[in-house]
Amino acid sequence: GNSPSLQLQQLPLATAAVSVQPHTDSFSYKENLIGALLAIFGHLVSSIALNLQKYSHIRLAGSKDPRAYFRTKTWWSGFLLLLLGELGVFSSYAFAPLSLIVPLSAVSVVASAIIGIIFIKEKWKPKEFLRRYVLSFVGCGLAVVGTYLLVTFGPNSHEKMTAENITRHLVSWPFLLYMLVEIIVFCLLLYFYKERNANYIVIILLLVALLGSMTVVTVKAVAGMILVSIQGTLQLDSPIFYIMLVCMAATAVYQATFLAQASQLYDSAQISSIGYILSTTAAISAGATFYLDFMGEDVLHICMFALGCLIAFLGVFLITRNRKKPVPFEPYISMDAMPGMQNMHDKGIAVQPDLKASFSYGALENNDSMPEIYSPATLPIVQEQHGPRGVSAPPYRVLEHSKKE
């Protein structure tokens, strides 16, 4: 029942409303893609860097100088690549929501598994190879599918990280309630860990996950404020920036401390899988309460995002479950620890053959070209002083054991 003139006046408004929304969605999806690509690139480069440094440590494990790897190009190349990877991950938080970036750390687990399969020491037959690494292949496939679902159905909330917005989120009642619950849980876990000596892997990694959730919240705030400052609106003169910076450094240091304690008690494969699941869950919860990542998202997108997380969790679990436990290797037997035996290394006499600082416990080194390590060791006959001073003891004798003995 509207007049034609009123309909003509309403038409431009409707057209403008329709044209603005798709433009905003496409821009936000573009930011999500930039952040996801930066995170994937950063985790991939970091994984390569850590394997390069590990290779350098393995090659120089038998060196007398404990810091000999500092003089190798391999170690420094890994160090520079590690800085580049961490910079890429840090930058990704400025573009995409927190809940989208955190689960993408599964890329580093997949990359490490692929690098380990490529640099295999043993020569397997095709059937044995597939049977041995079938869980790794399935895990890598699941992790890739989960990553695709995460990027496709990730949260689409984008907000400028200004000091005003961060302060408003910091004093909001959902985040204050979340912080209260997290502090109580953290104190209880710390009590059982320190006072009751409950050194369970779940307790230690829960402490790491709770600290890590605060680390990623502060990392996104710092990275976002730096990006807004680069774009023209200075945010670095606000006190909230330095508060977030200090909290980021403090939580990262304590997180690394608990991780170091866990690595002394448990296998790295267990730490990788359980730590990834707990840390990702805690970080997504923190992002949902602090930055309201899932505000306005429909149920289908949230369910598909949760499905992507579960698939990525399963993939990481299968990859780390198939990882071989490192066997400790002793390059030589110290004869000094045996009573009644003198030091046989003073004159350069080796009890066992020299391994030439190239032994390996993993997949980055092949010792097939060293047949001398499999030859039996010879023990030279050396006189020893057992009697009083000035009286030489008789040399060693080889005793023949009879059947009666």
Side-chain angles (χ1 to χ4, degrees):
N2 294 334
S3 61
S5 60
L6 184 58
Q7 292 178 0
L8 290 176
Q9 292 177 0
Q10 293 176 348
L11 182 60
L13 296 176
T15 306
V18 172
S19 62
V20 168
Q21 189 66 29
H23 176 72
T24 304
D25 290 344
S26 63
F27 180 74
S28 59
Y29 281 124
K30 182 180 178 181
E31 285 190 333
N32 276 8
L33 182 60
I34 293 174
L37 291 178
L38 282 173
I40 292 173
F41 170 78
H43 288 301
L44 181 62
V45 172
S46 297
S47 179
I48 296 173
L50 291 175
N51 280 277
L52 282 176
Q53 289 186 327
K54 178 182 177 181
Y55 177 74
S56 177
H57 284 282
I58 291 173
R59 289 294 301 271
L60 299 174
S63 176
K64 296 181 180 180
D65 186 4
R67 298 184 178 182
Y69 52 86
F70 282 139
R71 295 189 294 270
T72 61
K73 296 181 180 179
T74 305
W75 191 90
W76 282 107
S77 299
F79 179 75
L80 294 177
L81 286 177
L82 184 62
L83 292 180
L84 179 62
E86 293 300 325
L87 180 61
V89 176
F90 178 80
S91 302
S92 65
Y93 285 95
F95 292 94
L98 174 63
S99 302
L100 172 62
I101 297 300
V102 171
L104 294 180
S105 58
V107 174
S108 61
V109 181
V110 175
S112 297
I114 294 175
I115 293 173
I117 292 175
I118 292 175
F119 294 98
I120 296 175
K121 177 184 175 183
E122 299 87 354
K123 297 179 181 179
W124 300 88
K125 296 179 181 179
K127 293 182 180 180
E128 295 178 351
F129 180 84
L130 292 176
R131 185 168 60 251
R132 174 69 177 82
Y133 290 98
V134 62
L135 287 180
S136 293
F137 291 138
V138 173
C140 289
L142 290 176
V144 171
V145 172
T147 303
Y148 173 77
L149 292 177
L150 290 172
V151 175
T152 304
F153 297 98
N156 201 29
S157 61
H158 291 272
E159 182 182 22
K160 283 192 174 183
M161 293 292 101
T162 60
E164 181 181 357
N165 291 334
I166 294 175
T167 305
R168 177 168 50 85
H169 289 306
L170 192 61
V171 298
S172 62
W173 70 265
F175 181 70
L176 293 177
L177 181 61
Y178 175 82
M179 279 297 299
L180 178 62
V181 174
E182 181 169 306
I183 291 173
I184 294 174
V185 174
F186 184 85
C187 292
L188 289 175
L189 292 173
L190 193 62
Y191 169 76
F192 284 107
Y193 176 63
K194 294 291 186 181
E195 301 296 331
R196 299 299 181 90
N197 294 323
N199 296 328
Y200 301 108
I201 185 172
V202 176
I203 292 180
I204 301 176
L205 294 182
L206 270 175
L207 292 170
V208 174
L210 294 177
L211 288 171
S213 64
M214 292 298 100
T215 302
V216 293
V217 165
T218 53
V219 165
K220 180 171 178 59
V222 172
M225 294 178 75
I226 292 176
L227 179 63
V228 173
S229 300
I230 293 175
Q231 292 175 348
T233 306
L234 184 63
Q235 303 293 323
L236 304 184
D237 57 348
S238 175
I240 193 66
F241 174 80
Y242 298 98
I243 292 175
M244 289 292 182
L245 187 62
V246 171
C247 292
M248 179 184 71
T251 53
V253 169
Y254 283 107
Q255 185 181 355
T257 302
F258 284 113
L259 275 177
Q261 295 175 5
S263 63
Q264 295 176 358
L265 299 174
Y266 298 97
D267 183 57
S268 60
Q270 291 180 323
I271 296 175
S272 299
S273 58
I274 300 176
Y276 171 75
I277 295 173
L278 295 178
S279 298
T280 303
T281 304
I284 291 176
S285 302
T289 54
F290 188 87
Y291 294 108
L292 304 176
D293 286 344
F294 297 96
M295 182 67 67
E297 297 288 336
D298 54 9
V299 179
L300 178 61
H301 277 71
I302 296 176
C303 292
M304 293 301 294
F305 179 81
L307 178 63
C309 289
L310 293 177
I311 294 176
F313 290 167
L314 180 59
V316 171
F317 174 77
L318 292 179
I319 292 172
T320 54
R321 183 181 178 83
N322 193 49
R323 186 178 299 173
K324 293 196 304 180
K325 296 181 179 180
V327 179
F329 186 88
E330 186 69 27
Y332 63 87
I333 300 175
S334 177
M335 303 299 290
D336 302 332
M338 300 177 62
M341 296 293 292
Q342 69 184 18
N343 190 351
M344 306 183 71
H345 294 279
D346 293 341
K347 299 180 180 180
I349 305 175
V351 178
Q352 290 184 353
D354 186 14
L355 296 182
K356 298 181 181 179
S358 60
F359 66 90
S360 172
Y361 63 86
L364 297 178
E365 183 72 20
N366 192 343
N367 291 331
D368 295 338
S369 61
M370 297 173 57
E372 67 271 17
I373 69 172
Y374 302 107
S375 60
T378 57
L379 183 65
I381 299 176
V382 182
Q383 293 184 352
E384 187 179 12
Q385 302 291 337
H386 288 288
R389 293 183 179 178
V391 180
S392 61
Y396 295 116
R397 292 180 301 169
V398 179
L399 300 178
E400 296 181 0
H401 299 276
S402 62
K403 294 182 180 180
K404 295 181 180 181
E405 294 175 346

